[in-house]
Amino acid sequence: MPGTTTVEINTAAFKGSISVNTGLYIDGKWVDPVEADTIDVINPATAKKIAAVSLGSSKDVDLAVTAAHKAYKTSWGLKCPGSKRGKLISRLADLLERDIDQFAALESINAGKPFQIAKNSDLMGSIQCIRYFGGWADKIHGKTIESSENKLAYTRHEPYGVVGQIIPCAWSSELESYPVLMLSWKVGPALATGNCIVLKPSEMTPLSALKFAELVQEAGFPPGVFNIVNGYGTTVGQAITEHMKISKVAFTGSTLVGRKVLEASARTNLKVVTLELGGKSPTVIFDDCNLEQAIKWTSHALYANMGQSCVAGSRIFVQEGIYDQFMDKFTAVVKALGQATGDPFEATTQHGPQASQVQFDRIMNYIASGKESGATVHIGGERHGTEGYFIQPTIFTNVTPDMKIVREEIFGPVAAVQKFKTEEDVITAANDTEYGLSACVFSENVGRALRVAHAFESGSAFVNSAQLIESSIPFGGYKSSGIGREHGEYAIETYTQVKGVHINLGLMI
């Protein structure tokens, strides 16, 4: 039988033991993989092993899909009223809130997030998201459609059945250290609409997802409704994208792998695909902004989560009239952030490690590329300390649009700052990217701020703020940043398919 691991934490922020099942969660039970294998889970702050968890394969995906399909036909989906689904989902949110400290500690030790940020931001956001979608479960409505006196027509919004969900991983070249938050974004709407889930968490940050499965079990969900198969993207992820009995796939990760997911759908059963992919988001700062607020939001937009965010505002455009003043004050903020880098469990820590060795190496290669291409390292640009995967918050200046650090998603704490003259110039520059996930504009001129927000080629636009993502507001990308939307009623739509029902009330042929 699969075992458990006990994580011992003795810090001022959290003291205690956390027990986590290390097997696969299939059909309401903890099981060993068909082909016995494990993967080590690493603490990114120390580069030391925390635990070893089971590693699944395509054979385990088959078992999970079979269990999910059975549950959909017998105890979930259209067999389970929305009011009952909502009650179970709300119970799940309550349990997550009960155990918020344990989950925050797991996010810290496995993903490197500062504990208080993990608790007050990620976990609170996850709880709110799951609770929000629990409220949607009995509100999945169709429409009656006028046709003629002799005909009645209406629509039904029905679940897909079995959906596959893939959380960011090394396979995607984009490891987000938002394990629970990304899980909640996907699980909430899928369960609310009556779908059953086969989920692959990141093989590098699986602990909170495995702990979440324990809450699913405790909440009383029917067996098979929620399944976790931990494993590599090239095996488990690939199996999910190609499985003929999975009708929809939701993937968060890099644009490169998003294309592969879409190709796999086309080659197999034309799964409906939702893709939340990469970004190279612009932050535009006009000379009539509230400078103090613009600097604080700009720092948050990029350096939150150590830059490991698809919406990170890594391209910063500053109008020339305030450029020098902005840089002086922005540099001071970033320098202070660098001084608050360290152990995620320390109360003073604001900047933790990157989530993995893979991500650390990738970011350092981009920093080297920036130096080699002639950009100026204004601050940072080096490793922080000698232990773990810490990188100094970094600012590049004297950059050009053709540089890799300007064009490609770095997924780390690296900014590229540029001057601009006019509104027209900066709109062109901001949109000069294959991505279109998010964008920010700072200006006290409301007309200008709205003009620019509307001109951004992006799925989200923030005015005098950044990354204020909410469960009720749609989130997704333009261009190569994705397909479909998460959050709000728009997420409900992506997890249902519409059936038109035609009833003859007297038409004769």
Side-chain angles (χ1 to χ4, degrees), residues 402-469:
D402 59 321
M403 292 179 178
K404 286 178 65 176
I405 59 170
V406 175
R407 301 214 65 81
E408 298 182 14
E409 183 177 37
I410 298 174
F411 217 68
V414 182
V417 183
Q418 306 169 62
K419 286 182 187 178
F420 73 91
K421 289 181 179 292
T422 69
E423 181 180 320
E424 294 74 16
D425 290 341
V426 77
I427 288 171
T428 299
N431 290 333
D432 182 20
T433 172
E434 69 170 299
Y435 298 109
L437 191 58
S438 176
C440 303
V441 56
F442 292 88
S443 172
E444 293 298 289
N445 181 324
V446 65
R448 168 187 276 171
L450 291 179
R451 280 197 308 272
V452 174
H454 294 171
F456 285 141
E457 295 170 355
S458 62
S460 295
F462 297 93
V463 177
N464 295 326
S465 63
Q467 295 193 16
L468 292 179
I469 297 168

Side-chain angles (χ1 to χ4, degrees), residues 253-284:
S254 72
T255 297
L256 175 65
V257 178
R259 290 190 178 101
K260 294 180 180 179
V261 172
L262 204 56
E263 289 169 4
S265 168
R267 286 196 313 269
T268 54
N269 59 343
L270 284 175
K271 299 172 184 65
V272 174
V273 176
T274 300
L275 302 174
E276 198 269 278
L277 306 178
K280 192 69 177 174
S281 300
T283 297
V284 175

Side-chain angles (χ1 to χ4, degrees), residues 231-502:
Y232 293 115
T234 50
T235 52
V236 172
Q238 191 75 17
I240 288 173
T241 61
E242 295 180 347
H243 206 288
M244 295 298 291
K245 289 188 177 180
I246 291 179
S247 300
K248 172 185 168 62
V249 169
F251 169 79
T252 296
S254 72
T255 297
L256 175 65
V257 178
R259 290 190 178 101
K260 294 180 180 179
V261 172
L262 204 56
E263 289 169 4
S265 168
R267 286 196 313 269
T268 54
N269 59 343
L270 284 175
K271 299 172 184 65
V272 174
V273 176
T274 300
L275 302 174
E276 198 269 278
L277 306 178
K280 192 69 177 174
S281 300
T283 297
V284 175
I285 302 165
F286 284 96
D287 56 12
D288 61 358
C289 70
N290 179 326
L291 187 59
E292 298 296 331
Q293 283 296 303
I295 289 168
K296 291 178 180 179
W297 282 111
T298 299
S299 176
H300 172 72
L302 173 57
Y303 297 113
N305 205 46
M306 293 67 75
Q308 296 169 134
S309 173
C310 50
V311 295
S314 55
R315 292 185 300 139
I316 301 171
F317 299 90
V318 185
Q319 199 161 25
E320 58 186 6
I322 60 166
Y323 180 84
D324 291 340
Q325 186 182 6
F326 173 87
M327 288 302 299
D328 286 344
K329 294 186 176 184
F330 187 52
T331 302
V333 169
V334 176
K335 184 178 181 180
L337 184 64
Q339 294 169 344
T341 299
D343 183 348
F345 287 99
E346 288 292 333
T348 57
T349 296
Q350 296 296 312
H351 188 80
Q354 308 309 131
S356 71
Q357 180 75 59
V358 171
Q359 195 64 19
F360 174 88
D361 292 342
R362 185 168 182 263
I363 296 164
M364 293 306 295
N365 285 337
Y366 272 110
I367 290 174
S369 170
K371 295 175 181 178
E372 291 164 5
S373 62
T376 299
V377 178
H378 181 76
I379 189 172
E382 303 293 341
R383 178 180 192 144
H384 175 90
T386 59
E387 185 180 63
Y389 310 133
F390 294 89
I391 295 176
Q392 296 173 354
T394 299
I395 301 172
F396 276 104
T397 57
N398 297 318
V399 299
T400 57
D402 59 321
M403 292 179 178
K404 286 178 65 176
I405 59 170
V406 175
R407 301 214 65 81
E408 298 182 14
E409 183 177 37
I410 298 174
F411 217 68
V414 182
V417 183
Q418 306 169 62
K419 286 182 187 178
F420 73 91
K421 289 181 179 292
T422 69
E423 181 180 320
E424 294 74 16
D425 290 341
V426 77
I427 288 171
T428 299
N431 290 333
D432 182 20
T433 172
E434 69 170 299
Y435 298 109
L437 191 58
S438 176
C440 303
V441 56
F442 292 88
S443 172
E444 293 298 289
N445 181 324
V446 65
R448 168 187 276 171
L450 291 179
R451 280 197 308 272
V452 174
H454 294 171
F456 285 141
E457 295 170 355
S458 62
S460 295
F462 297 93
V463 177
N464 295 326
S465 63
Q467 295 193 16
L468 292 179
I469 297 168
E470 298 185 39
S471 298
S472 58
I473 302 171
F475 177 79
Y478 285 13
K479 299 189 284 189
S480 293
S481 286
I483 298 171
R485 292 293 179 268
E486 297 186 297
H487 293 330
E489 187 174 2
Y490 295 86
I492 295 294
E493 292 175 1
T494 68
Y495 280 96
T496 58
Q497 49 196 340
V498 180
K499 176 184 290 181
V501 181
H502 306 252

Side-chain angles (χ1 to χ4, degrees), residues 52-94:
V53 300
S54 295
L55 199 63
S57 68
S58 61
K59 294 177 182 178
D60 301 296
V61 172
D62 286 338
L63 294 175
V65 172
T66 298
H69 191 262
K70 178 182 177 182
Y72 177 70
K73 291 295 185 180
T74 60
S75 59
W76 201 246
L78 301 178
K79 300 293 184 180
C80 182
S83 56
K84 183 177 180 180
R85 295 198 305 271
K87 186 176 181 179
L88 288 169
I89 297 167
S90 296
R91 171 67 174 151
L92 186 57
D94 292 341

